[in-house]
Amino acid sequence: MSDTYVIIHGAWHTGAEMEAVAKHMRESGHVVHCPTLAGNRPEDDRSTMGLNDAIESAVRFIEEKDLRKVRLVGHSYGGMVISGVADRIADRLERLVYVNAFVPLDGQCLNDLVPPHYVELFDSIAAQNNNAVMLPFPVWREAFINDADLALAQSSYAKLNPHPYHTFIDPISLKQPLAQLNIGKSYLNCQQDIALPHGLPWHPRLSERLGLFRLVECAGSHETWFSNPPRLAQAIIEAGRD
């Protein structure tokens, strides 16, 4: 059976970095879209674009293509975006799939959900870069793609782009808690992901906010998108199916 997926990338990424996983999902018979959010396109003004811009761009993508029964997948920062999309167009969605992704409460921003040392790092970088943030390579290498060799860590890092900091500090507005949404919800936890420290984990700290949800786990780092696309594709399909 063919299902329709829309994959929402994380910070520093574009839809292009999701394509390796999408390719394997398409080979399994599914329709997969990988849009690039407002704020991460080459022409975007990263000094001004915020979370609402990103959410609206994802909503427009789904509406303009008239997609329905969508399995909406969000990675990392993309969890903030899919939460906002679901709040606005839940009638077009079949299931939300959070892939080591943030699950906010109404009024929270992404920086509310990360350790203080990340906030200090992001504040410092944004202040020096016209309100855009990039991960330093050592953080990427050790905490984000710890299951890859150095060559892959370097080549994948070269594909990243500066990210608009407003998307990290803008609070989200949700009409109701995500747990009350009457659509399917899944949380996919890559077990070697230490982008957030295990003392402040993705799962179950954030996943339990979804209320009733399906848990799928697989081996891999935060960036299994690069290090093992076939396995991540399989896990997303497991998380997204009826």
Side-chain angles (χ1 to χ4, degrees):
M1 178 180 173
S2 177
D3 294 321
T4 298
Y5 288 83
V6 174
I7 299 178
I8 301 298
H9 60 80
W12 305 291
H13 294 61
T14 69
E17 287 77 63
M18 309 292 101
E19 283 291 341
V21 169
K23 172 179 176 290
H24 290 284
M25 295 173 67
R26 293 181 188 121
E27 289 172 353
S28 295
H30 301 291
V31 176
V32 186
H33 301 274
C34 301
T36 296
L37 297 173
N40 291 98
R41 301 168 301 201
E43 70 277 11
D44 289 338
D45 182 357
R46 283 151 177 77
S47 68
T48 61
M49 302 201 86
L51 180 60
N52 190 60
D53 296 305
I55 293 169
E56 282 297 325
S57 70
V59 169
R60 282 196 305 273
F61 181 89
I62 292 169
E63 290 182 334
E64 288 174 0
K65 291 188 175 297
D66 196 24
L67 302 179
R68 298 184 183 275
K69 294 189 174 181
V70 172
R71 272 78 174 167
L72 185 60
V73 181
H75 173 234
S76 195
Y77 151 72
M80 300 292 294
V81 177
I82 70 171
S83 299
V85 173
D87 191 67
R88 302 179 193 197
I89 54 168
D91 59 313
R92 289 182 177 267
L93 308 180
E94 190 74 12
R95 179 172 287 270
L96 298 174
V97 179
Y98 291 78
V99 183
N100 288 87
F102 294 100
V103 184
L105 302 176
D106 179 49
Q108 286 188 320
C109 68
L110 184 147
N111 274 2
D112 292 329
L113 305 177
V114 302
H117 69 269
Y118 272 159
V119 177
E120 293 171 5
L121 174 66
F122 297 152
D123 282 347
S124 173
I125 294 172
Q128 299 173 48
N129 291 278
N130 198 25
N131 225 28
V133 288
M134 267 294 288
L135 273 180
F137 178 74
V139 178
W140 172 261
R141 201 296 170 251
E142 300 298 342
F144 280 66
I145 195 163
N146 43 296
D147 59 344
D149 61 22
L150 179 59
L152 180 57
Q154 291 172 328
S155 64
S156 57
Y157 185 76
K159 296 177 181 178
L160 305 183
N161 70 94
H163 189 82
Y165 195 40
H166 277 298
T167 65
F168 284 11
I169 60 178
D170 290 350
I172 196 168
S173 177
L174 300 173
K175 293 188 290 290
Q176 60 181 330
L178 293 162
Q180 294 180 12
L181 281 178
N182 190 28
I183 57 176
K185 285 155 279 186
S186 297
Y187 205 92
L188 200 173
N189 183 47
C190 294
Q191 295 164 319
Q192 283 72 52
D193 186 341
I194 56 168
L196 288 184
H198 284 176
L200 200 68
W202 300 99
H203 168 74
R205 177 180 69 107
L206 298 175
S207 57
E208 66 185 7
R209 294 177 167 193
L210 297 174
L212 180 65
F213 73 99
R214 178 186 307 160
L215 175 64
V216 174
E217 295 191 282
C218 71
S221 69
H222 193 66
E223 292 295 338
T224 307
W225 302 90
F226 295 107
S227 57
N228 196 346
R231 180 64 188 97
L232 187 56
Q234 177 188 347
I236 291 172
I237 292 169
E238 292 169 9
R241 65 192 176 195
D242 292 330

